[in-house]
Amino acid sequence: QVHLVESGGGLVQPGGSLRLSCAASGSIFSIRTMDWYRQAPGKQRELVAGTILGGKPNYADSVKGRFTISRDNAANTVYLQMNSLKPEDTAVYYCNADGTGWGLKPFDAWGQGTQVTVSS
């Protein structure tokens, strides 16, 4: 079983910055993708930024130039640096990872979510 634990959310003023972290643990052989999603009240969950092992990161148009996703493969951790935050970035942010566990069993895991609120 694979567990994801997010941290780093909170309340920030417009224009401010936050850095989210997501650490994966458990029966992990290899992680293929590590992504950040978000869900605002009354809206569907959307992909914010994603990484794939050996590939380039991708971003939602709404966060390009403001958010940066990075990954520490040795630590099975993904980060999301969020700059120039806007009120419309307010949401619960979720980490997702998929890959292969020990015994070559595939996994697709979600974190519990961390609240990000951008408000003055």
Side-chain angles (χ1 to χ4, degrees), residues 6-86:
E6 300 114 331
S7 60
L11 173 64
V12 64
Q13 292 186 342
S17 298
L18 283 174
R19 189 190 194 210
L20 306 183
S21 300
C22 171
S25 63
S27 178
I28 298 171
F29 176 73
S30 175
I31 300 178
R32 189 180 67 95
T33 69
M34 295 192 84
D35 304 323
W36 286 99
Y37 287 76
R38 67 186 180 188
Q39 188 167 20
K43 294 188 177 181
Q44 289 189 329
R45 191 172 297 189
E46 62 174 353
L47 177 66
V48 175
T51 69
I52 185 167
L53 192 63
K56 293 182 179 180
N58 61 286
Y59 298 93
D61 288 342
S62 59
V63 307
K64 282 181 181 177
R66 300 188 297 122
F67 291 10
T68 302
I69 190 170
S70 59
R71 183 168 162 174
D72 182 342
N73 292 319
N76 290 332
T77 300
V78 65
Y79 304 95
L80 185 67
Q81 178 65 44
M82 305 185 293
N83 298 329
S84 303
L85 283 161
K86 304 175 181 180

